Amino acid sequence: MDTLNKNNIKQTKVLGQILILVFFMLLVVSALIYGKLHRDLSGLEEQAVTQYSKFTDATTAISNFQSELGYGGFIHHYKNYILYRRLDDLFKADMYYRQSLVSFNLLQTTLQDNPQYLEELGVIGSTLNAYSEKLEIFKNTPAEERFTISDREASIDDRQTVTLLKSLYADIQKSHQDALLTNNDKFIEISTYMKQVVFAFLVLFTFLGICLIYLYRLHRETNLELSALMFGAVESYIMSDTDGNILQFNANAHKLFGYSKNEFATLNIDDLVTPGEQGQHKNMRMGFIVNTILPALKKQRATLQPFYNSHQGSFIGRNKNGDMVPVKIDLTAYESGHGLRLLTVLTDQTYIRKLEFKTQIEPFTNLVNKDTIKQSLATEIERARRSEHALSLIFIDVDGFKQINDTKGHQFGDKVLINISERINQRVRDSDVLGRFGGDEFIIICPECTGLQAAAVAEQIRKNIESFELEGTKITISLGITECQGNDTVKSILERADKALYVAKQGGKNKIKLID
């Protein structure tokens, strides 16, 4: 993670979130503006339709009224009756009057929202009423007396009404044209505003798009860098969640533990340790997260800074075949959008351990030396105390070895030590630590082994050596056994095992002795 600029990653993430938020806000604003403009245009369309409908109704009503009132209508037949006194003209005049009255009422209804026309409609209505009164006079006058009514008495001055009808028609037509022009101006204004808004949003969306593309490329480059770091590195990389589930890993990781890619993807981090220690490892891992990582995360959140927390350590893993895999680990905890993640870098320590092993081996017998025995014993005591497992120690000494050296020579004595170490090694487990403590003394560290179990092993070793002769010389050993107690140290357990060995020697040699 050192190759990545952590602050830049956080800033890029925040900037990306802000741009996405702005993008959606612009979408909402543009939708609202579009809705407003759409409603305005729809309103103009509805207004134009309404105005056209009113114009059509008004002009139709005027035309019908002129036709029913004027030439060929009421006035025409009314005047013919005055001239010729024909009843047929009187009846037709009455019929057309009723039709013109209907058209006039329709005209009044159509223009009722236009107060500027009330005066003209009043004059026209008065003329129509005057004709109605004259018509009623004729209708109510006996037939023999109708001829006595003079033309002057029957006639009505309707010139103003005719003029007003023409003027009213022209005014309505002009008002309609003015309304069309006003609507057209508003339409042009809204269209121009829409163009400006579309252009402005197009510029903003283009800018946001360029920014998002840049951030995407930057994020992609970061991911490529991380991928190159993970998949191109010599080390093994494993990314897991807080439950220990393995989420990502490189090829070196699954090869290190001997699993295929598909097999490794189904594993948990706890599956990479010895089966008997998986529960303990899980408890330690969860304790580390709860007691170390989460408090640090809480503290870091208060600073609004990206959270990264690194730790180093080592442990002994187990591969698919059950073989030990010593590794050094660099653990980085970080917070992602999916929660807390643990990135573990594992460095295989097998080769280093082999080099260390060479410095820990006593070359003569090919067993670990005294210092290594003490180090291993300290580690196993701590592990036994932590896991509450048994631990036992076997202290071995060759009986009469000084006499063998004195009588047979040092070369023969060396052969004795080599053969005894080989025969002891045949009886120990892979998990046991067998070493030469010095001179003719050997020690076996027996993890997860009680004192009685260690005594049984010691008895088998004793019998195996007892049945052995080297160049006609019988060789025996004495063994002291003890089991680790809760407050033991390296010094105390060695002293107790040495005491057990001393008791076995004092008991006649070629014996074992267990001291609790």
Side-chain angles (χ1 to χ4, degrees), residues 342-379:
L342 302 173
L343 180 62
T344 306
V345 183
L346 302 96
T347 305
D348 187 3
Q349 299 287 291
T350 302
Y351 178 72
I352 296 176
R353 288 297 179 90
K354 287 181 179 179
L355 294 178
E356 292 176 350
F357 182 74
K358 289 183 178 180
T359 64
Q360 297 168 352
I361 294 300
E362 194 273 318
F364 181 66
T365 57
N366 206 30
L367 300 178
V368 296
N369 56 32
K370 183 176 181 178
D371 290 338
T372 304
I373 289 174
K374 288 184 176 181
Q375 292 174 3
S376 299
L377 184 56
T379 300

Coordinates of all heavy atoms in Angstrom, one line a residue, residues 342-379:
L342 N -9.0 -6.4 5.3 CA -7.7 -6.7 5.8 C -6.8 -7.2 4.7 O -7.2 -8.3 4.1 CB -7.8 -7.8 6.9 CG -8.6 -7.4 8.1 CD1 -8.8 -8.6 9.1 CD2 -8.0 -6.2 8.9
L343 N -5.8 -6.5 4.3 CA -4.9 -6.9 3.3 C -3.6 -7.5 3.9 O -2.9 -6.8 4.6 CB -4.5 -5.7 2.4 CG -3.6 -6.0 1.2 CD1 -4.2 -7.0 0.3 CD2 -3.2 -4.7 0.5
T344 N -3.4 -8.8 3.7 CA -2.2 -9.5 4.3 C -1.2 -9.8 3.2 O -1.5 -10.4 2.2 CB -2.7 -10.8 5.0 OG1 -3.8 -10.5 5.9 CG2 -1.5 -11.4 5.7
V345 N 0.0 -9.3 3.4 CA 1.1 -9.6 2.6 C 2.0 -10.7 3.3 O 2.5 -10.5 4.4 CB 2.0 -8.4 2.3 CG1 3.1 -8.8 1.3 CG2 1.1 -7.3 1.7
L346 N 2.1 -11.9 2.6 CA 2.8 -13.0 3.2 C 4.1 -13.2 2.5 O 4.1 -13.3 1.2 CB 1.9 -14.3 3.2 CG 0.6 -14.2 3.9 CD1 -0.5 -13.9 2.9 CD2 0.3 -15.5 4.6
T347 N 5.2 -13.3 3.2 CA 6.5 -13.6 2.6 C 6.9 -15.0 3.1 O 7.0 -15.2 4.3 CB 7.5 -12.5 3.0 OG1 7.0 -11.3 2.7 CG2 8.8 -12.8 2.3
D348 N 7.1 -15.9 2.2 CA 7.5 -17.2 2.5 C 8.9 -17.2 3.2 O 9.9 -16.7 2.7 CB 7.6 -18.1 1.2 CG 7.8 -19.6 1.5 OD1 7.9 -19.9 2.7 OD2 8.0 -20.3 0.6
Q349 N 8.9 -17.8 4.4 CA 10.2 -17.8 5.2 C 10.8 -19.2 5.2 O 11.7 -19.4 6.0 CB 9.8 -17.4 6.6 CG 9.3 -16.0 6.8 CD 10.3 -15.0 6.6 OE1 11.2 -14.8 7.4 NE2 10.2 -14.2 5.5
T350 N 10.4 -20.1 4.3 CA 10.9 -21.4 4.3 C 12.4 -21.4 4.1 O 13.2 -22.1 4.8 CB 10.2 -22.3 3.2 OG1 8.8 -22.3 3.5 CG2 10.7 -23.7 3.2
Y351 N 12.9 -20.7 3.1 CA 14.3 -20.7 2.8 C 15.1 -20.0 3.9 O 16.1 -20.5 4.4 CB 14.6 -19.9 1.5 CG 16.0 -19.8 1.1 CD1 16.8 -20.9 0.7 CD2 16.7 -18.5 1.3 CE1 18.1 -20.7 0.4 CE2 18.0 -18.4 1.0 CZ 18.7 -19.5 0.5 OH 20.1 -19.4 0.2
I352 N 14.5 -18.9 4.5 CA 15.2 -18.3 5.6 C 15.2 -19.2 6.8 O 16.3 -19.3 7.5 CB 14.5 -17.0 6.0 CG1 14.6 -16.0 4.8 CG2 15.0 -16.3 7.2 CD1 13.8 -14.7 5.0
R353 N 14.1 -19.9 7.0 CA 14.1 -20.9 8.2 C 15.2 -22.0 8.0 O 15.8 -22.5 8.9 CB 12.7 -21.5 8.3 CG 11.7 -20.5 8.8 CD 12.0 -20.0 10.2 NE 11.1 -19.1 10.8 CZ 10.0 -19.4 11.5 NH1 9.8 -20.7 11.7 NH2 9.2 -18.5 12.0
K354 N 15.3 -22.4 6.7 CA 16.4 -23.4 6.4 C 17.8 -22.9 6.8 O 18.6 -23.6 7.3 CB 16.3 -23.8 5.0 CG 15.1 -24.7 4.7 CD 15.1 -25.1 3.2 CE 13.9 -26.0 2.9 NZ 13.9 -26.4 1.5
L355 N 18.0 -21.6 6.4 CA 19.3 -21.0 6.7 C 19.4 -20.9 8.3 O 20.5 -21.2 8.8 CB 19.4 -19.6 6.1 CG 19.5 -19.5 4.6 CD1 19.5 -18.1 4.1 CD2 20.7 -20.3 4.1
E356 N 18.3 -20.5 8.9 CA 18.4 -20.4 10.4 C 18.6 -21.8 11.0 O 19.3 -22.0 12.0 CB 17.1 -19.8 10.9 CG 16.9 -18.3 10.5 CD 15.6 -17.8 11.0 OE1 14.7 -18.6 11.4 OE2 15.4 -16.6 10.9
F357 N 17.9 -22.8 10.3 CA 18.0 -24.1 10.8 C 19.5 -24.6 10.8 O 19.9 -25.3 11.7 CB 17.2 -25.1 10.0 CG 17.2 -26.5 10.4 CD1 16.5 -26.9 11.6 CD2 17.8 -27.5 9.7 CE1 16.5 -28.2 12.0 CE2 17.8 -28.8 10.2 CZ 17.1 -29.1 11.3
K358 N 20.2 -24.2 9.8 CA 21.6 -24.6 9.7 C 22.4 -24.1 10.8 O 23.4 -24.7 11.3 CB 22.2 -24.2 8.3 CG 21.7 -24.9 7.1 CD 22.4 -24.5 5.9 CE 21.9 -25.3 4.7 NZ 22.5 -24.9 3.4
T359 N 22.0 -22.8 11.3 CA 22.8 -22.3 12.4 C 22.3 -22.9 13.7 O 22.9 -22.7 14.8 CB 22.6 -20.7 12.5 OG1 21.2 -20.5 12.7 CG2 23.0 -20.1 11.1
Q360 N 21.2 -23.6 13.7 CA 20.6 -24.2 14.9 C 21.0 -25.6 15.0 O 20.7 -26.2 16.1 CB 19.1 -24.0 14.9 CG 18.6 -22.6 14.9 CD 17.1 -22.4 14.6 OE1 16.5 -23.4 14.2 NE2 16.6 -21.2 14.8
I361 N 21.6 -26.2 14.0 CA 21.9 -27.6 14.0 C 23.3 -27.9 14.5 O 24.2 -27.2 14.2 CB 21.7 -28.2 12.6 CG1 20.3 -28.1 12.1 CG2 22.2 -29.6 12.5 CD1 19.3 -28.9 13.0
E362 N 23.3 -28.9 15.4 CA 24.6 -29.4 15.8 C 25.1 -30.4 14.8 O 24.5 -31.4 14.6 CB 24.4 -30.1 17.2 CG 25.7 -30.4 18.0 CD 26.3 -31.7 17.6 OE1 25.5 -32.7 17.4 OE2 27.5 -31.8 17.4
P363 N 26.2 -30.0 14.0 CA 26.6 -30.8 12.8 C 27.0 -32.2 13.1 O 26.9 -33.0 12.2 CB 27.7 -29.9 12.3 CG 28.3 -29.2 13.4 CD 27.1 -28.9 14.3
F364 N 27.4 -32.5 14.3 CA 28.0 -33.8 14.5 C 26.8 -34.9 14.5 O 26.9 -35.9 13.9 CB 28.7 -33.9 15.9 CG 29.3 -35.2 16.2 CD1 30.3 -35.7 15.5 CD2 28.7 -35.9 17.3 CE1 30.8 -37.0 15.8 CE2 29.3 -37.2 17.6 CZ 30.3 -37.7 16.9
T365 N 25.7 -34.6 15.2 CA 24.6 -35.5 15.2 C 23.4 -35.1 14.3 O 22.5 -35.8 14.2 CB 24.0 -35.6 16.6 OG1 23.6 -34.3 17.1 CG2 25.1 -36.2 17.6
N366 N 23.6 -33.9 13.7 CA 22.5 -33.3 12.9 C 21.2 -33.1 13.6 O 20.1 -33.1 13.1 CB 22.2 -34.3 11.7 CG 21.7 -33.5 10.5 OD1 22.0 -32.3 10.3 ND2 20.8 -34.1 9.7
L367 N 21.4 -32.8 15.0 CA 20.2 -32.5 15.8 C 20.4 -31.0 16.2 O 21.5 -30.4 16.1 CB 20.2 -33.3 17.1 CG 20.1 -34.9 16.8 CD1 20.1 -35.6 18.2 CD2 18.8 -35.2 16.1
V368 N 19.3 -30.4 16.7 CA 19.3 -29.0 17.1 C 20.2 -28.9 18.3 O 20.4 -29.8 19.1 CB 17.9 -28.5 17.4 CG1 17.0 -28.5 16.1 CG2 17.2 -29.2 18.5
N369 N 20.8 -27.7 18.4 CA 21.8 -27.5 19.5 C 21.1 -27.0 20.7 O 19.9 -26.8 20.8 CB 22.9 -26.5 19.0 CG 22.3 -25.2 18.6 OD1 21.3 -24.7 19.1 ND2 23.0 -24.5 17.6
K370 N 21.9 -26.7 21.8 CA 21.4 -26.3 23.1 C 20.6 -25.0 23.1 O 19.5 -24.9 23.7 CB 22.5 -26.3 24.1 CG 22.1 -26.0 25.5 CD 23.4 -26.0 26.4 CE 23.0 -25.7 27.9 NZ 24.1 -25.8 28.8
D371 N 21.1 -24.0 22.4 CA 20.4 -22.7 22.3 C 19.1 -22.9 21.6 O 18.1 -22.3 22.1 CB 21.3 -21.7 21.6 CG 22.5 -21.3 22.3 OD1 22.5 -21.5 23.6 OD2 23.5 -20.8 21.7
T372 N 19.0 -23.6 20.6 CA 17.8 -23.8 19.9 C 16.8 -24.6 20.7 O 15.6 -24.3 20.7 CB 18.0 -24.6 18.5 OG1 19.0 -23.9 17.8 CG2 16.7 -24.7 17.7
I373 N 17.2 -25.5 21.5 CA 16.4 -26.3 22.4 C 15.7 -25.3 23.4 O 14.5 -25.4 23.6 CB 17.1 -27.4 23.1 CG1 17.5 -28.5 22.2 CG2 16.3 -28.0 24.3 CD1 18.4 -29.6 22.8
K374 N 16.5 -24.4 24.0 CA 16.0 -23.5 24.9 C 14.9 -22.5 24.3 O 13.9 -22.2 24.9 CB 17.1 -22.7 25.6 CG 18.0 -23.5 26.5 CD 19.0 -22.6 27.2 CE 19.8 -23.4 28.2 NZ 20.8 -22.6 28.9
Q375 N 15.3 -22.1 23.1 CA 14.3 -21.2 22.4 C 13.0 -21.9 22.1 O 11.9 -21.3 22.3 CB 15.0 -20.6 21.1 CG 16.1 -19.7 21.3 CD 16.8 -19.3 20.0 OE1 16.4 -19.7 19.0 NE2 17.9 -18.5 20.2
S376 N 13.1 -23.1 21.5 CA 12.0 -23.9 21.2 C 11.1 -24.2 22.4 O 9.9 -24.2 22.4 CB 12.3 -25.2 20.5 OG 13.0 -24.9 19.3
L377 N 11.8 -24.5 23.5 CA 11.2 -24.8 24.8 C 10.4 -23.6 25.3 O 9.2 -23.7 25.8 CB 12.2 -25.3 25.8 CG 11.6 -25.8 27.2 CD1 10.6 -26.9 26.9 CD2 12.7 -26.3 28.1
A378 N 11.0 -22.4 25.2 CA 10.3 -21.2 25.6 C 9.1 -21.0 24.8 O 8.0 -20.6 25.3 CB 11.3 -20.0 25.6
T379 N 9.2 -21.2 23.5 CA 8.0 -21.0 22.6 C 6.9 -22.0 22.9 O 5.7 -21.6 23.0 CB 8.5 -21.2 21.1 OG1 9.5 -20.2 20.8 CG2 7.3 -21.0 20.2

